Amino acid sequence: MKTILAIDDSEDILFLEKMVLTKAGYAVHTALSGTEGLRKITELTDLDLILLDYEMAPMNGPEFLKALQLQSPKTFDKTKIVFASAHEKPPSNVTQRWIPKIRDIDEFIKNIAEFLKSS
Amino acid sequence: MSDSFMENENPNSFNLKKKNRQDSSADKSAPFTWQERAYERLKVLYGVSKLLSSVNSVEIAFPKILDLCSSSFPLVTAILIEKRGQETKAEVWHSENASPQQIKKAHIHAEKSFAFLTGHPKDDSLPNDHVQELAFRQEKFFDLPLVVDSLPAFGIIQLEGHGAFDEKDLEFADALSRLIAVAVDRYHKSNSERELRQRESAEKSSKLLKSQEDVADLQKERELRESFVSLLTHDLRTPLSAAKVSAQLIQQQSDNAEISQSLAERIVSNVNRADQMITDLLDANLVRSGFRIQLNLESFNFTDLVKDTLHELAAIHGERFVIQGSDSVVGFWDRKSFRRVIENLCTNAIKYGYPESLVTVSVSQTETDACLEVHNRGEVISKEDQCSMFQQFRRGRQAQSGSKKGWGIGLTLVRGVTEAHGGHVQLKSEQDMGTVFAVTLPLDSRISKL
């Protein structure tokens, strides 16, 4: 079973992501902020994917990424990280590591599965 | 000029240089014959004509004209008085031998003559008989009116000879004054045309500048609008997506009533959130268009509303709010609108204040007004930003450059709601005291609503 850490500042989104991904067969952990995410990462040993909200406050997605690289370089290197946002298109700096934020169950599960398969 | 002069001189063989050379070789002390004098004067008139066409101001030409004249038309003083609009300007020329008294006397005389010729003989010091003769030949002074077609008023040229002028002198002076008058006319027309061109050019430049500013403003407005629309669609999509996915989950597991109930609640709260966003946007547009937000006025305790709202906000932002001031401030206001005002000001104070710093909310009242102050410590808001902050889509530069999300309509709403109540909002931001948004509104807003 693949393990996912979802980080988002919206409690609703986190709740739904967890429910949908759990139903799809993933082990899901959640964090309501970047700071909480950094703390949880230290407790999680086998993490396959970090699903990261791009626009969070106070620490946004890219800021979280930098902090993670400093705090846990090993996790940063071996874990797949994908940004999610409610925009139509990915922000220019994360084109390869982006999926649309959850807005349809089937589309979301498909996007996550494809990203996990990609190298 | 007399016919005899024309007969004696062949105009086709006019060679002033040649004549000049002949003159210079002649005995300077020998008196001029009348023909020589006429020829000299014709030369002078020709020189004056050339001179006048080479400059663009009679002030520059006048002393040079008199220098040219002095050899064949000896003068003690010459004064040009010109009327330009409300101003009168005098140009004074004098020979080397003229005494200061002579110059002063000539100047006074010229001014009196000018006053007489322009119809303002107010000076009683001038005897009547003297005044009447001013326009004609005098013992020493000779005044010529300067009639200019393009100017409503005119000037005079006063010449002062060493003795009485004869008829030939008068003819010469007359010719001289006509040349000067024509030149003044031409200068005036040319100046008017130049001024017109300059004015037209300045108007064009100013129009161009205005257009450029308009384009820049429109461009800025467009950018603000585009970023606002992008943010709006992003923010609206989040609750709508949450509602949709919740509904899909209910479809998929209709057997679990508890989960279905929880999901249904999420649908309602997210749809309400989206609805509130649209209401905020419509109200902000109303304020921006100069209309008042619709109010539903009722009597309530403002402090209680502040307490309730802060309690809800503390659930999201933590215990960062301190409330102080009066426990009971009762009046007539719109409860729902003021909840939005408190939410907006307090959320901004958290968003832009220093992390973990406290936000102080004060409620007080005077005899006529209620006052709400929201204070936070954080980056100072520049004076420039303070002015534009209450406009729709405008967010301070600090807010724009940071990672904080915002539509830029919150403060527009705060202003709109407050003004609809007949109140006003003030903003103070200083290094030492931090930032304070102060909302003052009448205790009974029913009066201002009328």
Side-chain angles (χ1 to χ4, degrees), chain B residues 133-196:
Chain B
E133 287 175 16
L134 272 173
F136 306 100
R137 182 152 62 120
Q138 298 285 303
E139 277 291 307
K140 287 164 73 181
F141 294 117
F142 183 53
D143 296 284
L144 295 140
L146 203 60
V147 181
V148 179
D149 286 348
S150 60
L151 291 170
F154 59 93
I156 64 157
I157 297 174
Q158 174 185 281
L159 304 173
E160 182 188 1
H162 290 284
F165 292 109
D166 63 18
E167 288 301 322
K168 300 280 182 203
D169 291 336
L170 299 188
E171 275 181 19
F172 173 70
D174 186 48
L176 199 63
S177 76
R178 282 170 198 275
L179 274 179
I180 293 174
V182 167
V184 169
D185 190 33
R186 186 167 57 77
Y187 297 153
H188 174 71
K189 282 177 181 162
S190 139
N191 284 342
S192 302
E193 278 170 23
R194 195 171 57 242
E195 277 167 18
L196 188 70

Coordinates of all heavy atoms in Angstrom, one line a residue, chain B residues 133-196:
Chain B
E133 N -1.4 120.8 -29.8 CA -0.4 120.9 -30.9 C 0.5 119.6 -30.8 O 1.4 119.5 -31.6 CB 0.5 122.1 -30.7 CG -0.2 123.4 -31.1 CD 0.6 124.6 -30.9 OE1 1.8 124.5 -30.6 OE2 0.0 125.7 -30.9
L134 N 0.3 118.8 -29.8 CA 1.3 117.7 -29.6 C 1.4 116.8 -30.8 O 2.5 116.3 -31.1 CB 0.8 116.9 -28.4 CG 1.4 117.3 -27.1 CD1 0.8 116.5 -26.0 CD2 2.9 117.2 -27.0
A135 N 0.3 116.6 -31.5 CA 0.4 115.6 -32.6 C 1.0 116.3 -33.8 O 1.2 115.6 -34.8 CB -1.0 115.2 -32.9
F136 N 1.3 117.5 -33.7 CA 1.8 118.2 -34.9 C 3.3 118.6 -34.7 O 3.9 118.3 -33.6 CB 1.0 119.4 -35.3 CG -0.5 118.9 -35.5 CD1 -1.4 119.1 -34.5 CD2 -0.8 118.3 -36.6 CE1 -2.7 118.7 -34.6 CE2 -2.1 117.8 -36.8 CZ -3.1 118.1 -35.8
R137 N 3.7 119.3 -35.5 CA 5.1 119.8 -35.4 C 5.3 120.7 -34.2 O 4.5 121.6 -34.0 CB 5.6 120.5 -36.7 CG 7.0 120.9 -36.7 CD 7.5 121.0 -38.1 NE 6.7 122.0 -38.8 CZ 7.2 123.0 -39.4 NH1 8.5 123.3 -39.4 NH2 6.5 123.9 -40.1
Q138 N 6.3 120.4 -33.4 CA 6.6 121.3 -32.3 C 8.0 122.0 -32.5 O 8.6 121.7 -33.5 CB 6.8 120.3 -31.1 CG 5.5 119.6 -30.7 CD 4.5 120.5 -30.0 OE1 4.8 121.1 -29.0 NE2 3.3 120.6 -30.6
E139 N 8.3 122.7 -31.6 CA 9.6 123.4 -31.7 C 10.7 122.3 -31.8 O 11.5 122.3 -32.7 CB 9.9 124.2 -30.4 CG 9.3 125.5 -30.4 CD 9.9 126.5 -31.4 OE1 11.1 126.6 -31.3 OE2 9.2 127.0 -32.2
K140 N 10.7 121.3 -30.9 CA 11.8 120.3 -30.9 C 11.2 118.9 -31.0 O 11.8 118.0 -31.6 CB 12.6 120.4 -29.6 CG 13.5 121.7 -29.7 CD 14.0 122.0 -28.3 CE 15.1 121.0 -27.9 NZ 15.6 121.3 -26.5
F141 N 10.1 118.7 -30.4 CA 9.5 117.3 -30.4 C 8.6 117.1 -31.5 O 7.8 118.0 -31.9 CB 8.7 117.1 -29.1 CG 9.6 117.1 -27.8 CD1 9.4 118.1 -26.8 CD2 10.6 116.2 -27.6 CE1 10.1 118.1 -25.7 CE2 11.4 116.2 -26.5 CZ 11.2 117.2 -25.5
F142 N 8.6 115.9 -32.0 CA 7.7 115.5 -33.1 C 7.1 114.2 -32.7 O 7.9 113.2 -32.6 CB 8.4 115.5 -34.4 CG 7.5 115.2 -35.6 CD1 6.3 116.0 -35.8 CD2 7.8 114.2 -36.4 CE1 5.5 115.7 -36.8 CE2 6.9 113.9 -37.5 CZ 5.8 114.6 -37.7
D143 N 5.8 114.1 -32.6 CA 5.2 112.8 -32.2 C 4.4 112.2 -33.3 O 3.6 112.9 -33.9 CB 4.2 113.1 -31.0 CG 5.0 113.6 -29.8 OD1 5.6 112.7 -29.2 OD2 5.0 114.8 -29.5
L144 N 4.7 111.0 -33.6 CA 4.0 110.3 -34.7 C 3.2 109.1 -34.1 O 3.8 108.3 -33.4 CB 5.1 109.7 -35.7 CG 5.9 110.7 -36.4 CD1 7.4 110.2 -36.4 CD2 5.4 110.9 -37.8
P145 N 2.0 109.1 -34.4 CA 1.2 107.9 -34.0 C 1.7 106.6 -34.7 O 2.0 106.7 -35.9 CB -0.2 108.2 -34.3 CG -0.2 109.3 -35.3 CD 1.1 110.0 -35.2
L146 N 1.7 105.6 -34.0 CA 2.1 104.3 -34.5 C 0.8 103.4 -34.7 O 0.4 102.8 -33.8 CB 3.1 103.6 -33.5 CG 4.0 102.6 -34.1 CD1 5.0 103.1 -35.1 CD2 4.9 102.0 -32.9
V147 N 0.3 103.4 -35.9 CA -1.0 102.7 -36.1 C -0.7 101.3 -36.6 O 0.0 101.1 -37.7 CB -1.8 103.5 -37.1 CG1 -3.2 102.8 -37.3 CG2 -2.0 104.9 -36.7
V148 N -1.2 100.4 -35.9 CA -0.9 99.0 -36.2 C -2.3 98.3 -36.4 O -3.1 98.3 -35.6 CB -0.2 98.3 -35.1 CG1 0.1 96.8 -35.4 CG2 1.2 99.0 -34.9
D149 N -2.4 97.6 -37.6 CA -3.7 97.0 -38.0 C -4.1 95.9 -37.0 O -5.3 95.8 -36.6 CB -3.6 96.3 -39.4 CG -3.6 97.4 -40.4 OD1 -3.9 98.6 -40.1 OD2 -3.3 97.1 -41.6
S150 N -3.1 95.1 -36.6 CA -3.5 93.9 -35.9 C -3.6 94.1 -34.4 O -3.9 93.2 -33.6 CB -2.5 92.8 -36.1 OG -1.2 93.2 -35.7
L151 N -3.3 95.3 -33.9 CA -3.4 95.6 -32.5 C -4.5 96.6 -32.2 O -4.6 97.6 -32.9 CB -2.0 96.2 -32.0 CG -0.8 95.2 -32.0 CD1 0.4 96.0 -31.7 CD2 -1.0 94.2 -30.9
P152 N -5.2 96.4 -31.1 CA -6.3 97.2 -30.8 C -5.8 98.6 -30.4 O -6.5 99.6 -30.7 CB -7.0 96.5 -29.7 CG -6.0 95.6 -29.1 CD -5.1 95.2 -30.2
A153 N -4.7 98.7 -29.7 CA -4.2 100.0 -29.3 C -3.0 100.3 -30.1 O -2.6 99.6 -31.0 CB -3.8 99.9 -27.8
F154 N -2.5 101.5 -29.9 CA -1.3 101.8 -30.7 C -0.3 102.5 -29.9 O -0.5 102.7 -28.7 CB -1.7 102.7 -31.9 CG -2.4 104.0 -31.5 CD1 -1.6 105.2 -31.3 CD2 -3.7 104.0 -31.2 CE1 -2.2 106.3 -30.9 CE2 -4.3 105.2 -30.8 CZ -3.6 106.4 -30.6
G155 N 0.9 102.9 -30.5 CA 1.9 103.5 -29.8 C 2.3 104.8 -30.4 O 1.6 105.3 -31.4
I156 N 3.4 105.4 -29.9 CA 3.9 106.6 -30.6 C 5.4 106.6 -30.7 O 6.0 105.9 -29.9 CB 3.5 108.0 -29.9 CG1 4.1 108.0 -28.5 CG2 2.0 108.2 -29.8 CD1 4.3 109.4 -28.0
I157 N 5.9 107.3 -31.7 CA 7.3 107.5 -31.7 C 7.5 109.0 -31.6 O 6.9 109.8 -32.3 CB 7.9 107.1 -33.1 CG1 7.8 105.6 -33.2 CG2 9.4 107.4 -33.1 CD1 8.2 105.1 -34.6
Q158 N 8.3 109.4 -30.6 CA 8.6 110.8 -30.4 C 10.0 111.1 -30.8 O 10.9 110.4 -30.3 CB 8.3 111.3 -29.0 CG 8.7 112.7 -28.7 CD 8.6 113.1 -27.3 OE1 7.5 113.3 -26.8 NE2 9.7 113.0 -26.5
L159 N 10.2 112.0 -31.7 CA 11.6 112.4 -32.1 C 11.9 113.8 -31.6 O 11.1 114.7 -31.6 CB 11.7 112.3 -33.6 CG 11.3 111.0 -34.3 CD1 11.3 111.2 -35.8 CD2 12.2 109.9 -33.9
E160 N 13.1 114.0 -31.1 CA 13.5 115.3 -30.6 C 14.8 115.7 -31.4 O 15.8 115.0 -31.3 CB 13.9 115.3 -29.1 CG 14.3 116.6 -28.6 CD 14.8 116.5 -27.1 OE1 14.8 115.4 -26.6 OE2 15.1 117.6 -26.6
G161 N 14.6 116.7 -32.2 CA 15.8 117.2 -33.0 C 16.6 118.3 -32.3 O 16.2 118.6 -31.2
H162 N 17.6 118.7 -33.0 CA 18.4 119.8 -32.3 C 17.7 121.1 -32.5 O 17.9 122.1 -31.7 CB 19.8 119.8 -33.0 CG 20.6 118.6 -32.6 ND1 21.2 118.5 -31.4 CD2 20.9 117.5 -33.3 CE1 21.8 117.3 -31.3 NE2 21.7 116.7 -32.5
G163 N 16.9 121.2 -33.5 CA 16.1 122.5 -33.7 C 14.8 122.1 -34.3 O 14.3 121.0 -34.1
A164 N 14.1 123.0 -34.9 CA 12.8 122.8 -35.5 C 13.0 121.8 -36.7 O 14.0 121.8 -37.4 CB 12.2 124.1 -35.9
F165 N 11.9 121.0 -36.9 CA 11.9 120.1 -38.1 C 11.4 120.8 -39.3 O 10.4 121.6 -39.1 CB 11.0 118.8 -37.8 CG 11.6 117.9 -36.7 CD1 11.0 117.9 -35.5 CD2 12.7 117.2 -37.0 CE1 11.5 117.0 -34.5 CE2 13.2 116.3 -36.0 CZ 12.6 116.2 -34.8
D166 N 11.9 120.5 -40.5 CA 11.3 121.1 -41.7 C 10.4 120.1 -42.3 O 10.2 118.9 -41.8 CB 12.4 121.6 -42.6 CG 13.3 120.5 -43.2 OD1 12.9 119.3 -43.1 OD2 14.4 120.8 -43.6
E167 N 9.8 120.4 -43.4 CA 8.8 119.6 -44.1 C 9.5 118.2 -44.5 O 8.9 117.2 -44.4 CB 8.2 120.2 -45.3 CG 7.3 121.4 -45.0 CD 6.1 120.9 -44.2 OE1 5.6 119.8 -44.4 OE2 5.7 121.6 -43.3
K168 N 10.7 118.3 -45.0 CA 11.4 117.1 -45.5 C 11.7 116.2 -44.3 O 11.5 114.9 -44.4 CB 12.8 117.5 -46.1 CG 12.7 118.3 -47.3 CD 12.3 117.5 -48.5 CE 12.2 118.5 -49.7 NZ 11.4 117.9 -50.8
D169 N 12.0 116.8 -43.1 CA 12.2 116.0 -41.9 C 11.0 115.3 -41.5 O 11.0 114.1 -41.2 CB 12.6 116.9 -40.7 CG 14.0 117.5 -40.9 OD1 14.8 116.9 -41.6 OD2 14.2 118.6 -40.3
L170 N 9.9 116.0 -41.6 CA 8.6 115.4 -41.3 C 8.2 114.2 -42.2 O 7.7 113.2 -41.8 CB 7.5 116.4 -41.3 CG 7.7 117.6 -40.3 CD1 6.4 118.4 -40.3 CD2 8.0 117.1 -38.9
E171 N 8.5 114.4 -43.5 CA 8.2 113.3 -44.5 C 9.1 112.1 -44.2 O 8.6 111.0 -44.2 CB 8.5 113.8 -45.9 CG 7.4 114.6 -46.5 CD 7.7 115.0 -48.0 OE1 8.7 114.4 -48.6 OE2 7.0 115.9 -48.5
F172 N 10.3 112.4 -43.8 CA 11.2 111.3 -43.5 C 10.7 110.5 -42.2 O 10.7 109.3 -42.2 CB 12.6 111.8 -43.3 CG 13.6 110.7 -42.9 CD1 14.0 109.7 -43.7 CD2 14.1 110.8 -41.6 CE1 14.9 108.7 -43.2 CE2 15.0 109.8 -41.1 CZ 15.4 108.8 -42.0
A173 N 10.4 111.3 -41.2 CA 10.0 110.7 -40.0 C 8.7 109.9 -40.2 O 8.5 108.9 -39.6 CB 9.8 111.8 -38.9
D174 N 7.8 110.5 -41.0 CA 6.6 109.8 -41.3 C 6.9 108.4 -42.0 O 6.3 107.4 -41.6 CB 5.7 110.7 -42.2 CG 4.4 110.1 -42.4 OD1 3.7 109.7 -41.4 OD2 3.9 110.0 -43.6
A175 N 7.8 108.5 -43.0 CA 8.1 107.2 -43.7 C 8.7 106.2 -42.7 O 8.4 105.0 -42.7 CB 9.1 107.5 -44.8
L176 N 9.6 106.7 -41.8 CA 10.2 105.9 -40.8 C 9.2 105.2 -39.9 O 9.2 104.0 -39.6 CB 11.1 106.8 -39.9 CG 12.2 106.1 -39.1 CD1 13.2 105.4 -40.0 CD2 13.0 107.2 -38.3
S177 N 8.2 106.1 -39.4 CA 7.2 105.5 -38.5 C 6.3 104.5 -39.2 O 5.9 103.5 -38.6 CB 6.3 106.7 -37.9 OG 5.4 107.1 -38.8
R178 N 6.1 104.7 -40.5 CA 5.2 103.7 -41.2 C 6.0 102.4 -41.3 O 5.4 101.3 -41.2 CB 4.9 104.2 -42.6 CG 3.8 105.3 -42.6 CD 3.6 105.9 -43.9 NE 2.9 107.2 -43.8 CZ 1.6 107.2 -43.8 NH1 0.9 106.2 -44.0 NH2 0.9 108.4 -43.6
L179 N 7.3 102.5 -41.6 CA 8.1 101.2 -41.7 C 8.0 100.5 -40.4 O 7.8 99.3 -40.3 CB 9.5 101.6 -42.0 CG 9.9 101.7 -43.5 CD1 11.4 102.0 -43.5 CD2 9.7 100.4 -44.2
I180 N 8.2 101.3 -39.3 CA 8.2 100.6 -38.0 C 6.8 100.0 -37.6 O 6.7 98.9 -37.1 CB 8.6 101.6 -36.9 CG1 10.1 102.0 -37.1 CG2 8.4 101.1 -35.5 CD1 10.6 103.1 -36.2
A181 N 5.7 100.8 -38.0 CA 4.4 100.3 -37.8 C 4.1 99.0 -38.5 O 3.5 98.1 -37.9 CB 3.4 101.4 -38.2
V182 N 4.6 98.9 -39.8 CA 4.4 97.7 -40.6 C 5.1 96.5 -39.9 O 4.6 95.4 -39.8 CB 4.8 97.9 -42.0 CG1 4.9 96.6 -42.8 CG2 3.9 98.9 -42.7
A183 N 6.3 96.9 -39.4 CA 7.1 95.8 -38.8 C 6.5 95.3 -37.5 O 6.4 94.1 -37.2 CB 8.5 96.3 -38.5
V184 N 6.0 96.3 -36.7 CA 5.3 96.0 -35.4 C 4.1 95.0 -35.7 O 3.9 94.0 -35.1 CB 4.8 97.2 -34.7 CG1 3.9 96.9 -33.5 CG2 6.0 98.0 -34.1
D185 N 3.4 95.4 -36.8 CA 2.2 94.6 -37.2 C 2.6 93.2 -37.5 O 2.0 92.2 -37.1 CB 1.6 95.3 -38.4 CG 0.2 94.7 -38.8 OD1 -0.5 94.3 -37.8 OD2 -0.1 94.6 -39.9
R186 N 3.7 93.1 -38.3 CA 4.2 91.8 -38.8 C 4.7 91.0 -37.5 O 4.4 89.8 -37.4 CB 5.4 92.0 -39.8 CG 5.9 90.7 -40.4 CD 6.7 91.0 -41.6 NE 7.9 91.8 -41.3 CZ 9.0 91.4 -40.7 NH1 9.1 90.1 -40.3 NH2 10.0 92.2 -40.4
Y187 N 5.5 91.7 -36.7 CA 6.0 91.0 -35.5 C 4.8 90.4 -34.6 O 4.8 89.3 -34.2 CB 6.8 91.9 -34.6 CG 8.0 92.5 -35.2 CD1 8.6 93.7 -34.8 CD2 8.7 91.8 -36.2 CE1 9.7 94.2 -35.3 CE2 9.9 92.3 -36.7 CZ 10.4 93.5 -36.3 OH 11.5 94.0 -36.8
H188 N 3.8 91.3 -34.5 CA 2.7 90.9 -33.7 C 2.0 89.7 -34.3 O 1.7 88.7 -33.6 CB 1.7 92.0 -33.6 CG 0.4 91.7 -32.9 ND1 0.4 91.4 -31.5 CD2 -0.8 91.4 -33.3 CE1 -0.8 91.0 -31.2 NE2 -1.6 91.0 -32.2
K189 N 1.7 89.8 -35.6 CA 1.1 88.6 -36.3 C 1.9 87.4 -36.2 O 1.4 86.3 -35.9 CB 0.8 88.9 -37.8 CG -0.4 89.8 -38.0 CD -0.6 90.2 -39.4 CE -1.8 91.1 -39.6 NZ -1.7 91.8 -40.9
S190 N 3.2 87.5 -36.4 CA 4.1 86.4 -36.3 C 4.1 85.8 -34.9 O 4.1 84.6 -34.7 CB 5.5 86.8 -36.9 OG 6.5 86.2 -36.1
N191 N 4.2 86.7 -33.9 CA 4.2 86.3 -32.5 C 2.9 85.6 -32.2 O 2.9 84.5 -31.5 CB 4.4 87.4 -31.6 CG 5.8 87.9 -31.5 OD1 6.7 87.1 -32.0 ND2 6.1 89.1 -31.1
S192 N 1.8 86.1 -32.7 CA 0.5 85.5 -32.4 C 0.4 84.1 -33.0 O -0.1 83.2 -32.4 CB -0.7 86.3 -33.0 OG -0.6 87.6 -32.5
E193 N 0.9 84.0 -34.3 CA 0.9 82.7 -34.9 C 1.8 81.7 -34.2 O 1.4 80.6 -34.0 CB 1.4 82.8 -36.4 CG 0.3 83.3 -37.3 CD 0.9 83.6 -38.7 OE1 2.0 83.1 -39.1 OE2 0.2 84.4 -39.4
R194 N 3.0 82.2 -33.8 CA 3.9 81.4 -33.0 C 3.2 80.9 -31.7 O 3.3 79.8 -31.3 CB 5.2 82.1 -32.8 CG 6.3 81.1 -32.3 CD 7.7 81.7 -32.3 NE 7.7 82.9 -31.4 CZ 8.0 84.1 -31.8 NH1 8.3 84.4 -33.0 NH2 8.1 85.1 -30.9
E195 N 2.6 81.9 -31.0 CA 2.0 81.6 -29.8 C 0.9 80.5 -30.0 O 0.7 79.6 -29.2 CB 1.4 82.8 -29.1 CG 2.4 83.6 -28.3 CD 2.0 85.0 -28.0 OE1 0.7 85.3 -28.0 OE2 2.8 85.8 -27.7
L196 N 0.1 80.8 -31.1 CA -1.0 79.8 -31.4 C -0.4 78.4 -31.7 O -0.9 77.4 -31.2 CB -1.7 80.3 -32.7 CG -3.0 79.6 -33.0 CD1 -4.0 79.8 -32.0 CD2 -3.5 80.0 -34.4

